[in-house]
Amino acid sequence: MNPSSPHGRHPTTRRTLLRAGAAVAAAVPLAGCVTAGGGDDGAPAAEGTKSAENPLGVPDATPLEVVVFKGGYGDDYAVHAEKLYQQRHPGATVDHKGIQKVGEALQPRFVADTPPDVVDNTGAGRLDLATLVAAGKLTDLRELLDAPALDGGGAKVRDTLLPGVVDDGTFDGVPRTLNFTYTVWGLWYSRSLFARNGWTFPTTWDAMLALCAEIRKTGAAPWTYQGKYPEYVNDPLLAMAAKAGGVDLVKAVDNLEPNAWKQPALLDAATAVAELAGRGYLLPGSEALSHTEAQAAWCQGRAAIIPCGSWLEAEQKGIAPDGFDMVMAPVPSLGGGDRMPVSGLQAASSESFIVPAKAKNPQGGLEFLRVLFSKSAARRFAELNSTLPTVTGATDGLTLSSGLGSVKAAVDAAASHTFAYRFRTWYAPLAKAVDDATGELVTRRVTPAQWADRIQRAADRVAADSAVTKYER
């Protein structure tokens, strides 16, 4: 599966790959030692004179090698950024490579300390970022993040990025990768369907249940979900829990704290999701549906609401009927005592760009990223791919599709109230245990209390296993 393709997520899911953007992932391993210098010959990396026009000190007339993962997003956006780079540095030549098997192609070069100058480390066969960091193979990106943004009105690059993007690429306090796309998770519905029936998307779970009762009167199911992959229905559950319990709940889960999965907000969220099945609000047979089957049923009007990430619109091109006008909304709140507003979103950045520590032209690599993460270059990416970049304001003024427009509006409304769990990326056995338990929950084979007990036992096993590397937020 191609994680940057707008189609297909399983058996390796798009979510797994997206959430691995700046953490440990099942990827191509790396071996070898770190040597001094800018390349295999130990020669120092090329550097130029720093100035207001050249804040990163890009050396004149020095070639730049760019390797980009050519998946569902293509590489036209990167070629566009390379042209902008050459306009700023007319003496430079750019060697562009659009490839798919990044790890297979670049692992030998990283081991030999002859890497490219900048890499889009994405795709199912990408290099493992944690291994690269541990081997000292990646450049510290603080110089880039503290440089003036290309079209940021004097702001630093870091200040032009959406919330959480810098943290997503940070290892042990040092930013090593910068992610270019922004994915959010929520609940999707047809705006035209809701308008025809006079329905308003609810902001509380009680209002959701009331709406479901009205939807069922029309003969359609209120909800469906991608039953073969219950991680999808985990999203609204975990999002409601995070909004109710706040960031401390998310950290307790990720840090494997005792009884973290038995926190009241998680039990309340599990109870809420179980109510969908208990009241007959799920499309019959949903538990046996793949992601494509469930999403097709939703587009056909057999169900009104489906949980998914912000790639859904791209996946449904050619499937959703004309005038369907799909939009995404944040997950409703559990109640008035929530510690986050209802506008809060589960979000993460992906499409990881790195500058190798042994690049021959690392300053050029940093400058290329300064160009790529400019508003104008990110805007071009959004135009080409109908996907939200991580650069604030990149889509301002564009005529957006219904789906992307709703995603942007949701991100704007959330502001700093975004969150992401990391246990899925850090601890694969725990992630599977959560998925399996939630699959049982929404088919009424376990109670919310049994769901929590089952997951907590899995978390405790991970915490007690000395062979598992532990991470902390």
Side-chain angles (χ1 to χ4, degrees), residues 423-456:
F423 73 87
R424 177 171 296 279
T425 305
W426 289 348
Y427 310 115
L430 177 57
K432 185 178 186 306
V434 175
D435 291 347
D436 291 346
T438 301
E440 297 285 281
L441 179 74
V442 293
T443 51
R444 305 181 69 186
R445 289 192 279 265
V446 299
T447 66
Q450 290 169 334
W451 172 88
D453 287 341
R454 181 168 164 174
I455 297 174
Q456 189 59 56

Side-chain angles (χ1 to χ4, degrees), residues 365-433:
L366 295 174
E367 174 73 353
F368 172 78
L369 293 186
R370 192 168 77 103
V371 172
L372 180 65
F373 283 79
S374 67
K375 191 177 295 185
S376 57
R379 179 187 180 92
R380 178 61 174 162
F381 172 83
E383 289 174 327
L384 289 169
N385 293 290
S386 295
T387 298
L388 193 65
T390 56
V391 179
T392 303
T395 58
D396 291 351
L398 292 179
T399 300
L400 303 179
S401 60
S402 62
L404 181 56
S406 69
V407 169
K408 179 184 182 300
V411 170
D412 290 345
S416 62
H417 297 290
T418 60
F419 56 91
Y421 293 84
R422 296 184 180 175
F423 73 87
R424 177 171 296 279
T425 305
W426 289 348
Y427 310 115
L430 177 57
K432 185 178 186 306

Side-chain angles (χ1 to χ4, degrees), residues 186-260:
L187 298 176
W188 289 79
Y189 64 99
S190 164
R191 185 162 51 197
S192 58
L193 173 66
F194 270 54
R196 285 196 303 272
N197 288 280
W199 299 330
T200 300
F201 199 85
T203 58
T204 67
W205 193 251
D206 285 345
M208 171 62 77
L209 295 176
L211 173 63
C212 287
E214 292 300 312
I215 292 172
R216 193 166 59 177
K217 292 177 183 178
T218 69
W223 279 55
T224 188
Y225 71 103
Q226 304 84 339
K228 287 185 177 179
Y229 314 105
E231 64 185 80
Y232 282 89
V233 80
N234 272 328
D235 289 329
L237 191 164
L238 293 177
M240 282 192 288
K243 291 181 187 184
V247 175
D248 288 343
L249 178 146
V250 178
K251 289 182 178 179
V253 165
D254 288 342
N255 290 342
L256 303 175
E257 292 183 9
N259 293 319

Side-chain angles (χ1 to χ4, degrees), residues 297-329:
W298 172 68
C299 286
Q300 293 161 4
R302 293 167 56 199
I305 297 168
I306 191 169
C308 200
S310 52
W311 61 83
L312 180 63
E313 185 178 39
E315 281 193 344
Q316 297 310 108
K317 284 182 179 178
I319 299 172
D322 291 342
F324 189 76
D325 292 337
M326 68 178 68
V327 290
M328 190 201 78

Side-chain angles (χ1 to χ4, degrees), residues 16-25 121 126-130 133 138 164-172 174-179 348-354 422 425-426 471:
T16 301
L17 294 169
L18 286 171
R19 290 184 177 167
V24 183
N121 185 43
R126 68 201 178 285
L127 292 156
D128 179 21
L129 288 173
V133 171
L138 301 185
V165 174
V166 174
D167 286 343
D168 285 344
T170 297
F171 292 78
D172 293 329
V174 180
R176 301 288 184 180
T177 182
L178 199 56
N179 297 341
S349 59
S350 61
E351 201 83 10
S352 301
F353 280 82
I354 57 177
R422 296 184 180 175
T425 305
W426 289 348
Y471 301 92

